[in-house]
Amino acid sequence: MTKVLVLYYSSYGHLEQMADAVAEGARAGGAEVDIRRVAETAPPEVVAAAHFKTDTAHEVIEGPDALKDYDAIIVGAPTRFGRMPAQMAQFWDTTGGLWFSGALVGKVGGAFTSTASQHGGQETTLFSILTNLMHHGMTIVGLDYGFKGQMGVSEVLGGSPYGATTIADGDGSRQPHAEELAGARYQGKRIAETAAKLAA
């Protein structure tokens, strides 16, 4: 059975919800799925003052070597000024040994994100994640236009051909929309199916 890792960082729970949806889609695509998060690196006083969500059912990833165990890796992180946050970047900065050995070459990768506003850097953040995956030699699967939920302009919604997205609002009050979660499931399923075909 194809093995998929959903690896994420979430400050307020939006990406945690998206990670669960991505994993649900990957399971529907026939994969065995693990969900892991990267460690929080912000000082405890910052975490407390900013009211970060610290209760989660997902374990912190054991380290970069764990990535070798998967056929596909789907990475989710919110935007920080149009790029992935330091917590996720710090994790990928520890994967040099995997890059040197080519351990991730040929695996399937994807990305998902959230922003405070509709034009808050979703696509640049996705690319900041995807750049790392491409340097590792991974085959990228985005949120293709087979998912029609990202079409139309009657409602403000996330969604990008580069990966599933959601919009949180400046105060984090907006939760992922049903259509955004559906996009995350779609992308997870497509990645699992692609990984299975490549593994065969």
Side-chain angles (χ1 to χ4, degrees):
M1 180 179 281
T2 306
K3 291 188 67 177
V4 173
L5 172 67
V6 179
L7 179 66
Y8 77 96
Y9 171 74
S10 186
S11 296
Y12 297 103
H14 299 81
L15 265 294
E16 182 180 6
Q17 292 180 61
M18 294 288 281
D20 286 333
V22 168
E24 185 180 333
R27 290 186 188 104
E32 176 186 334
V33 183
D34 291 329
I35 306 175
R36 296 289 184 269
R37 58 190 174 89
V38 298
E40 180 59 76
T41 59
E45 60 272 19
V46 171
V47 171
H51 306 288
F52 284 4
K53 183 181 185 297
T54 57
D55 59 319
T56 177
H58 306 133
E59 298 175 10
V60 172
I61 191 165
E62 300 85 354
D65 282 348
L67 301 178
K68 294 187 291 188
D69 297 334
Y70 297 94
D71 301 295
I73 303 164
I74 312 170
V75 181
T79 186
R80 293 294 186 271
F81 304 107
R83 58 173 169 73
M84 77 171 102
Q87 292 87 342
M88 185 60 76
Q90 189 277 333
F91 176 81
W92 284 98
D93 284 349
T94 68
T95 63
L98 298 179
W99 171 82
F100 187 77
S101 67
L104 306 186
V105 171
K107 295 181 186 293
V108 179
F112 58 102
T113 193
S114 70
T115 54
S117 65
Q118 184 180 10
H119 303 290
Q122 291 190 349
E123 294 184 347
T124 56
T125 301
L126 291 170
F127 274 112
S128 77
I129 297 169
L130 295 175
T131 300
N132 288 266
L133 306 186
M134 294 178 80
H135 273 265
H136 276 285
M138 299 178 72
T139 299
I140 303 304
V141 176
L143 180 64
D144 61 63
Y145 285 109
F147 177 68
K148 300 303 182 188
Q150 65 178 319
M151 303 295 287
V153 294
S154 61
E155 189 174 5
V156 174
L157 290 171
S160 162
Y162 313 111
T165 69
T166 186
I167 303 165
D169 206 351
D171 61 0
S173 60
R174 182 185 183 274
Q175 296 303 304
H177 188 281
E179 204 67 58
E180 296 165 341
L181 294 171
R185 291 185 197 96
Y186 179 96
Q187 186 182 8
K189 186 171 186 284
R190 290 279 289 125
I191 289 173
E193 292 170 343
T194 301
K197 288 177 182 177
L198 290 179

